[in-house]
Amino acid sequence: MCCAFAKAYHGLNSSLAAEALALRDGLLICYSRGVSEVMVEIDSLNHLHIITGQLPCPWELTCILQDVAAKTQNLKDEITYAPREANKVADCLAGHAPSCPHLVTWNSWADLPTFVKDPYHLDK
């Protein structure tokens, strides 16, 4: 684990917008920490198909995804689909996000909230 984060995204029109912002924030956190290779698992096939160009990009995601591309040019990333049931840690952190007044990060397993540690072990 490089790090984990949770952030509430308010006032958005769709869950795809929240997922795009979370992708942006996660990649930017990795980039800012000097991580140059990242594997991202997302639980939305629609989001994956938009990112890979298999579906047209909705207008509300265009600026977000362009921002990701511009700020992470030197980052090698692999983005794959993993159903929600296969990534309980992300699901737990997403469920916790509405209670976070700002971006919250955890730098190691020991720092993770208790409710995330068991799913973390299962995901390993």
Side-chain angles (χ1 to χ4, degrees):
M1 180 183 115
C2 170
C3 77
F5 76 96
K7 179 179 179 183
Y9 297 100
H10 300 289
L12 302 175
N13 295 334
S14 70
S15 61
L16 283 175
E19 291 168 359
L21 288 170
L23 173 65
R24 180 200 65 192
D25 290 346
L27 290 173
L28 290 175
I29 288 168
C30 291
Y31 183 74
S32 72
R33 292 171 181 235
V35 176
S36 60
E37 293 185 24
V38 179
M39 186 180 86
V40 178
E41 295 178 340
I42 58 178
D43 64 5
S44 167
L45 277 174
N46 282 342
H47 191 202
L48 179 63
H49 291 156
I50 290 166
I51 292 167
T52 58
Q54 297 173 40
L55 284 176
C57 186
W59 66 268
E60 70 267 15
L61 302 186
T62 302
C63 289
I64 298 167
L65 295 179
Q66 286 175 345
D67 190 34
V68 169
K71 291 182 178 173
T72 60
Q73 290 178 25
N74 298 322
L75 188 66
K76 181 180 177 189
D77 59 359
E78 177 183 347
I79 302 174
T80 60
Y81 171 74
R84 182 172 292 128
E85 301 79 30
N87 193 343
K88 295 287 187 184
V89 172
D91 195 41
C92 286
L93 291 171
H96 178 67
S99 67
C100 299
H102 52 79
L103 177 72
V104 178
T105 60
W106 298 274
N107 297 314
S108 70
W109 178 85
D111 296 336
L112 286 172
T114 305
F115 65 89
V116 179
K117 288 183 180 179
D118 286 339
Y120 176 84
H121 282 298
L122 294 174
D123 276 358
K124 283 178 86 175

